Amino acid sequence: MAAGTKAAELRELNDEELVVKLREAKEELFRLRFQAATGQLENNSRLRAVRKDIARIYTLMRERELGIESVEPVAEAVENA
């Protein structure tokens, strides 16, 4: 995964692709935790970024489950008025 996946990028993915991304992120988090435990981790901030990516994916999956639509960006809202 990229260093801090954007929510807009995740919204473009379908449900199956989100599950794949989630699985990849969890595997990466496991590897990072293992490296941290053995003292081999060089970039501590990557742990935080991966955890946030996982949270973004879970949030997006829950939004879709509930049928919540995202709020329009400000530029589009102004154009539509």
Side-chain angles (χ1 to χ4, degrees):
M1 291 186 85
T5 307
K6 302 286 183 186
E9 296 171 7
L10 293 174
R11 289 185 194 285
E12 296 173 359
L13 302 177
N14 63 28
D15 292 340
E16 293 83 21
E17 292 170 334
L18 274 179
V19 171
V20 170
K21 284 278 195 185
L22 180 62
R23 186 176 305 121
E24 291 172 356
K26 284 186 171 187
E27 289 173 3
E28 183 178 0
L29 182 62
F30 174 79
R31 287 191 303 272
L32 290 171
R33 285 181 175 164
F34 195 86
Q35 289 176 359
T38 59
Q40 298 175 350
L41 184 62
E42 296 177 6
N43 187 0
N44 291 332
S45 64
R46 187 67 188 139
L47 273 170
R48 183 177 184 190
V50 172
R51 282 198 318 263
K52 286 189 173 208
D53 285 346
I54 291 171
R56 278 189 197 98
I57 293 170
Y58 275 132
T59 300
L60 184 56
M61 290 171 75
R62 182 66 177 157
E63 284 178 356
R64 289 182 182 180
E65 180 182 323
L66 296 174
I68 299 173
E69 294 294 323
S70 62
V71 177
E72 290 184 14
V74 176
E76 289 182 14
V78 170
E79 291 174 4
N80 293 335

